[in-house]
Amino acid sequence: MRSLGTSTASAVAGVILAQMTTSFGPVPVPTQDGFRTVLAVGAGAALLAFAVAAFVPGQRAVAVPVGRTEEKVAVGG
């Protein structure tokens, strides 16, 4: 999954930078606005990932009855 995300992000960044160019002599180069757009898209994706991760349920710790050696046991769910 991480490889798919990296490849997709690289392709999106490449398309944005390729479309937002200016001429520097005979060579087209990406503009500063192109880099800002790529950074904004990356920041938006990070915030979206944070929002999704915030709603993923975690593990709960449950107290173990007295007399057992372990203090807490993780319960999946």
Side-chain angles (χ1 to χ4, degrees):
M1 289 304 290
R2 187 169 43 184
S3 296
L4 291 174
T6 302
S7 298
T8 303
S10 298
V12 169
V15 167
I16 292 170
L17 291 175
Q19 294 300 316
M20 300 180 82
T21 60
T22 187
S23 295
F24 185 70
V27 180
V29 294
T31 62
Q32 186 175 8
D33 288 336
F35 284 106
R36 286 182 181 158
T37 302
V38 169
L39 289 173
V41 168
L47 288 174
L48 178 66
F50 176 76
V52 169
F55 291 104
V56 173
Q59 293 184 345
R60 295 181 291 158
V62 178
V64 176
V66 179
R68 305 226 18 217
T69 57
E70 301 88 12
E71 289 183 304
K72 293 189 177 184
V73 176
V75 176

